[in-house]
Amino acid sequence: MKSKDFLSITDLAPHEIRLLLSDAASMKAQGWQTTLSGKTLALVFEKPSLRTRLSFELAMKQLGGEAIYLSPAEVGLGKRESIADVARVLSRYVDAIAVRTFAQSTVEELARWAGVPVVNALSDAEHPCQALADLLTIFEHKGEFPGLKLAFIGDGNNVAVSLALAAASVGLSFTMASPKGYELPPEAVHRALELAARSESVFSFTDDPGEAAFGADIIYTDTWTSMGQEADAEARRKAFEGYQVNERLVSLAKPDAIVMHCLPAHHGEEVAAGLLDSPQSVVFDQAENRLHVQKALLADMLGGLCFPWPG
């Protein structure tokens, strides 16, 4: 029976998230290892990538394993070959599959048919690996989660969903500011409220960016137009007028607040030009930490580190 898949950040219990972050911090300090010698990861991508592909390939290399990248043209997922057939063929060759796709249903169908673990490297519904990297970055800069306030300014997209659920899981208070019609999906709100009640953190949402940013320890934003939404770009720009993260907005937060963005950024749009180069910006720590949390994720999934991956 295969190990558990990682399709959503909620596939990990709060204590498992903390243990995985501990693994990631240890592996970041230790550097290259041979934990996954003889193991191979398939990267099945329907979307272009910089950080996702590079971090997964390097994660396997630094753990002594191998990664094989499969482009959209090579696989034709669900078009040239059915998702079920791709999953079963890959399972005969590799030890795990990481998929970056347009639809959460594609990730779930791959996991249903695969005989090896499947990792959600990004879908329209969630970006759980990014959320792990964000938590590691916050912990490195703040040393805790409970008592902190994270303000997310922008679209209730896949990044926001995973981050909201991750924050609520570990006791980090989360406030979302977005215009009407661009909030988090109702099912994500319901789940986040459940998790926040258990961790005794605050989960709230508003259409006022200043209200969200006031007294925040972390201010986070992401692009207003994700891949696949290009036709709606102009409408989105109009809807998000007044939601730019800039010096005025950051001044409402605590003096030692950090600014986060998962990248790629549209400088001068969702974030003011130059702000991500300021001392408060930790965006390149976030980018680096994708490598370390994914090393821990893969090692725990396929090799075993501080805790056995739940199966």
Side-chain angles (χ1 to χ4, degrees), residues 154-175:
D155 188 27
N157 61 14
N158 49 2
V159 171
V161 167
S162 288
L163 187 60
L165 296 171
S169 292
V170 299
L172 177 63
S173 292
F174 184 95
T175 299

Side-chain angles (χ1 to χ4, degrees), residues 236-256:
R236 284 175 166 271
R237 286 190 199 97
K238 290 180 181 178
F240 283 96
E241 285 180 6
Y243 284 81
Q244 183 187 78
V245 172
N246 50 35
E247 290 183 359
R248 182 196 63 79
L249 196 68
V250 174
S251 71
L252 299 174
K254 290 181 181 175
D256 63 346

Side-chain angles (χ1 to χ4, degrees), residues 111-247:
R112 184 160 56 249
W113 289 99
V116 297
V118 173
V119 176
N120 182 355
L122 179 141
S123 72
D124 61 340
E126 281 206 48
H127 199 349
C129 293
Q130 181 65 54
L132 290 174
D134 295 337
L135 290 183
L136 179 59
T137 305
I138 292 167
F139 192 81
E140 287 177 336
H141 286 270
K142 296 298 182 180
E144 59 182 338
F145 295 124
L148 296 180
K149 176 185 177 181
L150 190 161
F152 190 102
I153 315 294
D155 188 27
N157 61 14
N158 49 2
V159 171
V161 167
S162 288
L163 187 60
L165 296 171
S169 292
V170 299
L172 177 63
S173 292
F174 184 95
T175 299
M176 176 89 189
S178 57
K180 288 182 171 57
Y182 296 93
E183 303 93 342
L184 290 171
E187 60 272 19
V189 172
H190 178 72
R191 183 67 175 133
L193 286 169
E194 287 182 337
L195 292 167
R198 294 177 194 171
S199 66
E200 299 183 341
S201 61
V202 175
F203 177 83
S204 61
F205 37 93
T206 177
D207 60 2
D208 183 349
E211 178 184 339
F214 185 78
D217 300 278
I218 305 112
I219 294 185
Y220 198 121
T221 191
D222 188 17
T223 179
W224 295 335
T225 305
S226 300
M227 279 184 282
Q229 299 174 333
E230 289 81 5
D232 301 325
E234 189 55 39
R236 284 175 166 271
R237 286 190 199 97
K238 290 180 181 178
F240 283 96
E241 285 180 6
Y243 284 81
Q244 183 187 78
V245 172
N246 50 35
E247 290 183 359

